[in-house]
Amino acid sequence: MFCTKRITEDLYWVGVNDRRLAMFEGVYSVPNGVSYNSYLLIDKQTVLIDTTDKAMTHRFIENVVGMLGSVQLDYLIVQHVEPDHSAALKEIINLYPDVKVVCNDKSLSLIKQFYDLDIDSNAYIVKENDILCTGKHNLKFLMAPMVHWPEVMLTYDAESKTLFSADAFGCFGALNGALFSDEVDFNKDYMDEARRYYANIVGKYGTQVGALLGKAASLDIEMICPLHGFVWRSNIKTIVEKYSLWSDYQAEEKGVMIAYASVYGNTENAAEILAGKLRDSGIRTIMYDVSVTPSSEIVSAVFRWSHLVFASTTYNAGIFITMDALIEDLVAHNIQNRTVGIIENGSWAPTSGGLISAKLSKCKNITFIDKTVSIKSGLKIHQLKEIESLAESIISTFPDVKKAISNNSESSIAQNRLEPATMFKLSYGLFVITAKDKNKDNGCIVNTVTQITEKPFRISVAVNKMNLTHDMIIESKEFNVSILSEKAQFKVFEHFGFQSGRDVNKFLNCKTENRSENGIVYVPNYTNGVISAKVSESYDYGTHTIFIADVTQAFVLSDDKSVTYQYYFDNIKPKPAISKEQKKGMVCRICGYVYEGESLPDDFICPLCKHGPEDFEPI
Ligand code: FEO
């Protein structure tokens, strides 16, 4: 039975998923499978865009025939001849002998190289900016050589503002029912695989990807249909911005990736100590054993992080086998613009460090930290200073981070932490954010509503993911902001802020007839204005999602002054009543919850207001 998905009124996904493939291109593990996307446009004339892999041809043909029925296929556009997208070419031509195979000169010769196929009579050769009119749609062809093969071309449909992007903007992972990136939590669940796909498949060709981005910038694009992974119809900026960084070999994040090769654990030990020193200074670190983690994951991490440390034992007078393979892989992927530190080990003739730096010197704009640590067999106490010195040199390239190396006493670490109290100097307001689903109204307190633009009126708000209201906004893409005034009493904050809508119905005993035009309830008392908004974009920021939203309605309820965070602390929040027995402990600045213990666990979350340890202070 065919299994397809509708994308627009006349465009269908007719691709397939492969969850049995162990190694993509024979080298990249794909534990979550992979999709081979193909698209069918049913216009006055019918157009198939690319085919599929040999292993999936049967199911793919079922999809195409299932959609076309007795209708003929007029065109097959071959954007990319790599066999994971062209293996069903012969079957398609056998089924539809009159089909025109739309390709360029290079693809034609590659098709002939790969397949015993008399293709000339079917071939329909196109060049840059040629347009194929299919009825309502005009398909324009854009050459994108070396993204990822020399024959690659993209197809742009101005009618639907869709870019069929071949390998660009693809992602590893089979599609599990969802076709669009906005149907999943892409940043959390798929961005790593999108990066691994980019880095390993097209990472070497940053210049060519940059050229493609340049062409794309001149197009009005509302949807991107790649050959692997999800279709992008919203938040396109998210993936385009990542491609811009990756193609320019700019790191996404400041932090240190430490890759080590260790036969008996001694090189690993040195790497671990270095990681600990860096963390003490608040620098983010991630570690990989190159003999355990597949190279494709480490290459991907290298594209992500700004600083790299390679720690390797010496083996056969060279670099350890798996580290050598990784370094060669990085050079082949054209990695650039990174700061690199090195630890070498060798019981009688350590040479791996010099060999690693010689190889990486072939890459552009690599800054080596001039403090290579050389170990003979195992790190000794007198060498700790060398590790500290390497750490200090790395830290000195993080301008926002202070040193906390040699004396890692608590006071020294505390000194170097960010002062959370600074954040309370910001002049926040306080708001009730309300949203609804089919069965329920809900609301929570936030302090993060900000106007972004005036024309049009647009606001942003960051909402904690633990709040039910957050999930409702993700689902419905709409919310109201009730702006709290100085008349708001503590019970309002208690009601909306210190209990979860997952446990109680916050509107059970409230009047709910006060609704704005979007049907969402607002809080009429203790507030001075209401804003209704529709989410246009959302960004995943770990604990919170930032929603960018267009204002659809806004009205004033009173002339009372808006409450600020400071006013809340000074005049509304009751001072915590601490009994004599509770001499030790921490109290939440936000809601007054008392934690009886000398220090809070790092991952502690206030059970009442969901704030973290940074909002607690000693009693
Ligand atoms: Fe999925 Fe370059 O092919």
Side-chain angles (χ1 to χ4, degrees):
M1 178 63 192
F2 63 91
C3 173
T4 60
K5 293 211 93 172
R6 192 175 191 163
I7 297 175
T8 63
E9 73 178 317
D10 52 8
L11 180 67
Y12 296 83
W13 177 84
V14 290
V16 283
N17 291 299
D18 187 348
R19 296 182 186 82
R20 288 194 169 183
L21 182 72
M23 303 301 266
F24 184 79
E25 292 187 358
V27 63
Y28 305 117
S29 59
V30 278
N32 302 313
V34 66
S35 74
Y36 304 113
N37 297 341
S38 170
Y39 303 94
L40 181 65
L41 179 65
I42 304 186
D43 198 2
K44 197 162 167 201
Q45 296 193 289
T46 54
V47 184
L48 182 64
I49 301 176
D50 292 304
T51 68
T52 196
D53 187 74
K54 189 168 66 181
M56 307 310 287
T57 296
H58 173 73
R59 178 51 45 81
F60 169 72
I61 293 293
E62 219 172 20
N63 286 350
V64 175
V65 173
M67 291 308 300
L68 283 174
S70 58
V71 174
Q72 283 303 301
L73 179 66
D74 297 307
Y75 294 101
L76 164 59
I77 297 175
V78 179
Q79 299 189 117
H80 187 15
V81 184
E82 192 167 9
D84 55 335
H85 307 294
S86 68
L89 202 52
K90 199 167 184 173
E91 282 77 1
I92 290 289
I93 294 175
N94 284 343
L95 272 171
Y96 306 103
D98 295 328
V99 68
K100 293 281 172 228
V101 177
V102 182
C103 57
N104 56 47
D105 283 330
K106 280 198 191 77
S107 10
L108 187 65
S109 47
L110 278 172
I111 291 170
K112 289 177 181 173
Q113 282 174 220
F114 272 101
Y115 307 106
D116 291 325
L117 198 55
D118 181 11
I119 187 87
D120 285 325
S121 55
N122 293 84
Y124 181 103
I125 303 294
V126 292
K127 306 182 297 303
E128 176 82 2
N129 290 330
D130 279 357
I131 288 176
L132 173 69
C133 178
T134 60
K136 204 166 90 178
H137 299 268
N138 289 302
L139 305 178
K140 183 174 175 173
F141 302 104
L142 306 165
M143 303 303 135
M146 299 320 296
V147 183
H148 136 234
W149 280 17
E151 87 299 358
V152 169
M153 67 179 191
L154 315 188
T155 309
Y156 176 66
D157 174 22
E159 168 70 23
S160 61
K161 299 180 180 171
T162 300
L163 179 68
F164 298 92
S165 63
D167 271 349
F169 308 111
C171 183
F172 287 135
L175 303 171
N176 301 305
L179 175 62
F180 300 100
S181 62
D182 57 32
E183 295 177 281
V184 296
D185 191 338
F186 193 90
N187 279 325
K188 178 167 152 282
D189 297 329
Y190 291 94
M191 189 56 87
D192 285 347
E193 283 297 77
R195 183 188 304 102
R196 189 166 72 92
Y197 174 87
Y198 174 88
N200 290 281
I201 306 298
V202 282
K204 180 180 178 61
Y205 305 109
T207 311
Q208 291 82 350
V209 174
L212 161 64
L213 293 176
K215 282 187 192 180
S218 65
L219 303 171
D220 187 4
I221 297 172
E222 287 185 358
M223 186 155 65
I224 295 178
C225 296
L227 287 178
H228 299 287
F230 294 96
V231 170
W232 289 84
R233 65 179 173 189
S234 57
N235 294 338
I236 287 176
K237 211 167 65 174
T238 308
I239 193 71
V240 172
E241 281 175 0
K242 291 286 184 193
Y243 264 62
S244 175
L245 284 174
W246 295 336
S247 64
D248 212 15
Y249 301 98
Q250 299 299 331
E252 284 171 78
E253 295 182 64
K254 295 271 280 178
V256 184
M257 188 222 69
I258 302 173
Y260 65 88
S262 188
V263 178
Y264 296 108
N266 294 315
T267 313
E268 177 188 37
N269 172 242
E272 297 259 27
I273 293 170
L274 175 72
K277 303 275 176 207
L278 295 171
R279 275 281 170 176
D280 285 348
S281 283
I283 291 173
R284 287 189 294 167
T285 47
I286 178 90
M287 299 185 71
Y288 297 101
D289 182 330
V290 299
S291 301
V292 174
T293 305
S295 179
S296 70
E297 280 184 38
I298 308 179
V299 170
S300 175
V302 166
F303 271 75
R304 178 176 183 177
W305 298 101
S306 58
H307 289 59
L308 316 172
V309 170
F310 300 101
S312 177
T313 188
T314 301
Y315 202 75
N316 290 334
I319 306 167
F320 187 74
I321 315 153
T322 47
M323 179 63 83
D324 198 24
L326 171 68
I327 299 293
E328 289 291 349
D329 215 3
L330 293 177
V331 175
H333 281 87
N334 213 3
I335 194 69
Q336 301 172 23
N337 306 325
R338 294 296 188 275
T339 302
V340 171
I342 293 173
I343 299 173
E344 67 176 3
N345 196 351
S347 293
W348 54 93
T351 56
S352 54
L355 294 169
I356 289 172
S357 59
K359 290 194 181 200
L360 288 177
S361 298
K362 293 180 207 153
C363 301
K364 278 192 206 156
N365 201 16
I366 300 292
T367 307
F368 290 98
I369 300 279
D370 187 24
K371 291 279 168 49
T372 294
V373 176
S374 190
I375 302 165
K376 283 201 164 176
S377 303
L379 193 74
K380 296 288 178 291
I381 190 79
H382 66 269
Q383 273 193 301
L384 262 185
K385 284 227 166 324
E386 290 177 39
I387 293 281
E388 285 171 0
S389 172
L390 174 60
E392 275 167 12
S393 297
I394 293 171
I395 293 162
S396 68
T397 65
F398 285 74
D400 303 334
V401 173
K402 291 178 189 168
K403 287 194 287 179
I405 294 294
S406 39
N407 177 8
N408 64 354
S409 68
E410 271 189 31
S411 60
S412 146
I413 293 168
Q415 246 179 24
N416 293 315
R417 283 198 178 138
L418 297 170
E419 282 186 55
T422 320
M423 306 311 274
F424 295 108
K425 304 292 181 196
L426 293 170
S427 53
Y428 304 104
L430 286 162
F431 315 89
V432 179
I433 298 285
T434 44
K436 71 178 174 73
D437 63 17
K438 276 191 256 96
N439 313 311
K440 192 171 177 182
D441 297 304
N442 197 49
C444 66
I445 300 275
V446 301
N447 62 339
T448 50
V449 178
T450 309
Q451 181 179 345
I452 305 174
T453 59
E454 191 182 343
K455 289 184 183 153
F457 280 126
R458 188 176 285 143
I459 58 173
S460 69
V461 59
V463 184
N464 191 315
K465 288 180 182 172
M466 290 166 71
N467 291 333
L468 176 63
T469 313
H470 168 275
D471 295 358
M472 288 177 162
I473 299 174
I474 290 277
E475 201 55 40
S476 69
K477 302 204 178 319
E478 289 193 293
F479 61 90
N480 281 350
V481 179
S482 300
I483 304 165
L484 289 164
S485 76
E486 289 183 354
K487 297 233 170 94
Q489 298 172 16
F490 186 61
K491 64 181 182 185
V492 178
F493 296 91
E494 271 185 313
H495 185 76
F496 287 107
F498 303 167
Q499 54 183 356
S500 170
R502 297 183 204 284
D503 307 325
V504 295
N505 182 344
K506 295 186 188 178
F507 283 91
L508 187 61
N509 297 315
C510 301
K511 291 179 185 168
T512 53
E513 65 272 23
N514 295 295
R515 293 179 187 273
S516 53
E517 282 167 7
N518 59 14
I520 297 173
V521 68
Y522 62 86
V523 181
N525 301 322
Y526 312 114
T527 51
N528 59 17
V530 174
I531 295 171
S532 300
K534 191 167 181 55
V535 174
S536 57
E537 284 168 275
S538 55
Y539 297 94
D540 186 330
Y541 276 91
T543 55
H544 289 66
T545 298
I546 295 182
F547 297 104
I548 310 292
D550 294 319
V551 174
T552 54
Q553 201 183 357
F555 48 93
V556 171
L557 294 177
S558 82
D559 291 332
D560 296 333
K561 282 189 193 165
S562 299
V563 69
T564 63
Y565 218 40
Q566 192 63 49
Y567 186 91
Y568 166 79
F569 281 119
D570 295 345
N571 303 294
I572 299 176
K573 189 182 88 102
K575 306 295 173 229
I578 308 296
S579 71
K580 279 182 185 164
E581 298 77 61
Q582 291 174 323
K583 278 188 181 151
K584 284 185 181 168
M586 307 285 282
V587 61
C588 176
R589 285 169 45 86
I590 312 300
C591 65
Y593 174 81
V594 172
Y595 175 87
E596 292 184 41
E598 292 197 6
S599 65
L600 286 159
D602 283 349
D603 57 354
F604 186 80
I605 299 290
C606 175
L608 292 184
C609 67
K610 309 288 184 282
H611 282 235
E614 64 281 3
D615 289 316
F616 278 73
E617 58 195 8
I619 293 167

